[in-house]
Amino acid sequence: MPRLLIVEDDPASALALRELLAGDGYEVLDAADGRDALRLLFEERPALMLLDLGVPGLDGWRVLARTRDMSDLPVIVLSARDDLADLVRGLRGGADDYVVKPFRNEELLARVEALLRRSGARRRPGGEVSSHLRLLADRRTVLWHGAEVRLSDIEYRLLQLLVRNRGAVVTTDTLLDRVWHDTTALGRDRVKFAVLRVRRKLASAAGDGVPDPVESVRGVGYRFVGGAEPGPR
């Protein structure tokens, strides 16, 4: 069964959630603060996160924003506040669902199942193959000049989109829309820093002498120039 991450600082609430989800067959991870949540997100790669907005350290809003910078992980926000402004803020901030406490156990389980089903439909096996590059969708890793490179979900989808349009410029706004599902064009720095992370990881894996496969087109966007050819889908 999928692995779920609970981000909840109240021990009683965390225990109740853990027992509910584990009783339904899920593997459960716990984080009591925002920083621990981001660490587990990176290290353990859960299939879904249940996020309480009131966690200490990094609060839930900042955890949600950082998560969306790194990943398209399904997120259910849990909150004791039923204020419409918070609900709208959460959904616009990247949450996939917003559940107000107290909630009915059966409803929460149904929402978890529905989100996992939807996210699973987006994860396809296979990838793109060339003499130097192979994208492994099921593992969210890249083989670049024979070296394995671990990417976040966002980084993987960014590189995948560039590879599929190899030789053509993909605009920053298109990347925001297709990778982050952000149509506002207000988060362009997200693209710049994500491309920088991908470049650094590929350069570190390949070593000296291997050209950068991602080219910046000033004021427009980026293109993949590494010569990758799409393999079977």
Side-chain angles (χ1 to χ4, degrees):
M1 289 292 284
R3 179 183 299 172
L4 310 184
L5 172 59
I6 298 170
V7 186
E8 170 63 73
D9 64 317
D10 178 67
S13 297
L15 177 61
L17 277 170
R18 184 165 57 248
E19 290 181 345
L20 173 66
L21 296 167
D24 208 43
Y26 295 106
E27 183 180 351
V28 180
L29 302 168
D30 293 278
D33 62 69
R35 296 187 188 280
D36 197 33
L38 293 176
R39 179 185 63 79
L40 288 172
L41 174 63
F42 180 78
E43 293 178 355
E44 302 295 338
R45 293 180 175 245
L48 180 144
M49 177 164 62
L50 296 105
L51 173 64
D52 182 82
L53 293 175
V55 291
L58 290 175
D59 66 21
W61 298 114
R62 295 168 69 187
V63 171
L64 179 59
R66 293 281 296 276
T67 298
R68 279 294 162 261
D69 284 340
M70 297 188 296
S71 170
D72 61 351
L73 174 79
V75 176
I76 298 178
V77 165
L78 305 176
S79 176
R81 298 183 60 178
D82 60 357
D83 185 76
L84 178 61
D86 279 350
L87 185 150
V88 171
R89 180 183 175 186
L91 295 177
R92 285 182 173 172
D96 297 273
D97 205 347
Y98 189 103
V99 177
V100 177
K101 302 176 182 178
F103 48 78
R104 291 174 293 183
N105 290 345
E106 295 80 5
E107 179 184 356
L108 182 64
L109 290 175
R111 289 174 183 266
V112 167
E113 183 181 349
L115 270 179
L116 289 173
R117 183 168 60 246
R118 283 163 46 194
S119 65
R122 293 197 300 265
R123 296 189 178 107
R124 301 182 181 127
E128 286 69 38
V129 181
S130 77
S131 58
H132 300 304
L133 177 72
R134 182 180 180 89
L135 304 187
L136 306 175
D138 56 336
R139 292 160 52 189
R140 286 299 193 265
T141 57
V142 174
L143 294 179
W144 175 239
H145 285 264
E148 184 167 340
V149 183
R150 187 176 181 182
L151 302 175
S152 71
D153 286 344
I154 286 292
E155 292 163 357
Y156 180 90
R157 288 171 49 185
L158 173 67
L159 182 58
Q160 183 183 56
L161 183 59
L162 291 173
V163 167
R164 286 181 174 173
N165 293 275
R166 65 196 184 281
V169 178
V170 182
T171 68
T172 299
D173 289 352
T174 297
L175 290 167
L176 268 175
D177 182 20
R178 298 282 299 279
V179 178
W180 282 266
H181 307 297
D182 180 355
T183 60
T184 66
L186 298 177
R188 291 176 177 171
D189 281 348
R190 290 181 175 184
V191 179
K192 178 176 69 176
F193 290 120
V195 169
L196 180 61
R197 292 195 300 270
V198 170
R199 283 172 160 164
R200 286 175 173 171
K201 289 181 179 182
L202 295 179
S204 177
D208 297 336
V210 177
D212 185 348
V214 180
E215 180 181 86
S216 300
V217 181
R218 187 178 180 86
V220 182
Y222 303 88
R223 65 181 158 205
F224 186 83
V225 292
E229 299 176 2
R233 287 176 170 71

